[in-house]
């Protein structure tokens, strides 16, 4: 038996276990049904006092931060986060001491911002002098994910890119986040593999930001490449996309360009 669990994920687990051991609720930025997030949340239950809360994005984080500052309707809180809290979770007591963590493939800038939001909320409630007794945080984005996000930002800052191709599974969190970064700056197509490049006129892809991960949610876009003139295509891929798949995508684009 060989344990091949990612070292970055193990780092998160160790910190979440430490939160539970010290009586801190783990607030996890992630997708509640994602295997990694579910496994991370389970680490908080290794100690009787362990608790967890999963938040998907800034909007959910803002809701929790408002509750930390001002209190609110506990029943409404639990209804909103019914599938995202530990058994017996009580927002009136379990948000007194929190530690931030995240699914390692989330968007780094969003995870850092959410951490800052919770830090500010806890500071407003308990004061700066007592913050260390009520709030903890650490950076848990995996290096492969962060390197790709940084590289895409650098590419878009330094080059005139007309469109981006993002290659990787539709259920891959880090690939979807790469597509989000690109789509905010330039026309972007998220494709699963080279077969999605149907021709120089047609491409099959998953719309960026679509909630589902099923292939049935693919769409076909016509005239995705201009018929003539110079065009600069940027290319990136998820951390788990094999190099040969990326190579095949490059070969297909080269064929279209020379046709």
């Amino acid at each position: 038996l060989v344990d091949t669990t990612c070292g970055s994920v193990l780092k998160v687990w160790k910190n979440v276990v430490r939160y539970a051991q010290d009586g801190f609720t783990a607030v996890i930025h992630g997708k509640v049904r994602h295997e990694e997030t579910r496994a991370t949340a389970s680490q908080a239950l290794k100690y009787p006092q362990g608790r967890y809360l999963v938040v998907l994005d800034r909007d959910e984080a803002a809701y929790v931060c408002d509750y930390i500052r001002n209190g609110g309707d506990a029943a409404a809180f639990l209804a909103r986060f019914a599938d995202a809290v530990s058994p017996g979770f009580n927002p009136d007591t379990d948000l007194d001491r929190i530690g931030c963590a995240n699914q390692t493939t989330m968007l780094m800038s969003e995870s850092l911002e959410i951490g800052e939001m919770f830090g500010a909320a806890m500071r407003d409630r308990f004061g700066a002098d007592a913050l260390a007794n009520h709030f903890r945080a650490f950076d848990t984005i995996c290096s492969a994910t962060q390197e790709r996000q940084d590289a895409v930002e650098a590419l878009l800052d330094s080059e005139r890119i007309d469109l981006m191709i993002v290659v990787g599974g539709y259920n891959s969190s880090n690939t979807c986040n790469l597509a989000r970064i690109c789509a905010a700056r330039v026309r972007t197509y998220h494709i699963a593999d080279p077969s999605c490049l149907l021709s120089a006129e047609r491409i099959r892809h998953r719309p960026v930001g679509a909630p589902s991960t099923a292939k049935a949610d693919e769409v076909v876009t016509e005239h995705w490449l201009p018929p003539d003139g110079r065009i600069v295509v940027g290319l990136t891929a998820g951390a788990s996309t094999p190099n040969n798949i990326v190579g095949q995508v490059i070969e297909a684009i080269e064929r279209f360009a020379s046709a």
Side-chain angles (χ1 to χ4, degrees):
L1 178 65
V2 179
D3 185 353
T4 58
T5 305
C6 168
S8 297
V9 174
L10 287 174
K11 177 183 175 183
V12 180
W13 290 358
K14 290 176 182 177
N15 280 276
V16 168
V17 169
R18 193 173 297 117
Y19 289 162
Q21 187 176 16
D22 295 342
F24 280 69
T25 293
V27 177
I28 305 165
H29 173 216
K31 300 175 180 178
V32 70
R33 291 181 178 83
H34 192 281
E35 293 90 341
E36 181 191 330
T37 296
R38 290 169 61 187
T40 297
S42 74
Q43 302 300 308
L45 303 181
K46 288 187 173 180
Y47 287 85
Q49 66 270 35
R51 299 287 185 271
Y52 69 78
L53 165 68
V54 180
V55 295
L56 175 64
D57 51 27
R58 296 178 183 89
D59 289 342
E60 289 194 354
Y63 181 93
V64 179
C65 287
D66 181 70
Y67 200 99
I68 289 171
R69 288 187 174 97
N70 305 308
D73 184 341
F77 184 103
L78 293 173
R80 176 163 184 167
F81 294 99
D83 298 327
V85 293
S86 52
F89 191 90
N90 183 347
D92 293 329
T93 57
D94 292 334
L95 294 175
D96 287 351
R97 305 175 81 199
I98 65 172
C100 289
N102 58 267
Q103 182 182 316
T104 60
T105 53
M106 299 300 282
L107 189 63
M108 179 187 66
S109 59
E110 187 174 37
S111 285
L112 293 176
E113 183 179 343
I114 286 173
E116 292 170 358
M117 290 169 65
F118 278 106
M122 298 301 279
R123 189 180 301 109
D124 289 346
R125 179 172 175 181
F126 298 103
D129 293 341
L131 185 62
N133 294 324
H134 295 274
F135 178 72
R136 296 179 184 176
F138 60 96
D139 180 8
T140 59
I141 292 291
C142 96
S143 58
T145 296
Q146 186 167 336
E147 287 167 3
R148 280 162 175 75
Q149 293 178 8
D150 291 344
V152 162
E153 294 280 8
L155 175 66
L156 294 172
D157 287 342
S158 62
E159 303 290 341
R160 183 189 64 82
I161 304 294
D162 296 298
L163 66 88
M164 284 291 301
I165 301 293
V166 181
V167 189
Y170 297 146
N171 63 344
S172 165
S173 177
N174 80 87
T175 306
C176 291
N177 282 321
L178 285 174
R180 286 175 58 195
I181 293 172
C182 296
R185 305 272 298 272
V186 68
R187 182 159 50 100
T188 298
Y189 299 102
H190 178 183
I191 65 174
D193 52 52
S195 69
C196 292
L197 300 175
L198 304 176
S199 68
E201 290 77 34
R202 303 173 74 238
I203 185 171
R204 188 175 68 246
H205 62 100
R206 177 182 184 268
V208 177
S212 176
T213 58
K215 280 215 169 193
D217 294 313
E218 287 180 322
V219 299
V220 174
T221 294
E222 306 282 347
H223 310 299
W224 70 282
L225 282 177
D228 51 32
R230 179 180 175 83
I231 182 172
V232 179
V233 179
L235 177 68
T236 187
S240 58
T241 304
N243 287 340
N244 66 307
I245 296 297
V246 177
Q248 291 170 27
V249 170
I250 293 173
E251 291 173 358
I253 295 174
E254 288 177 339
R255 288 199 303 274
F256 298 157
S258 60

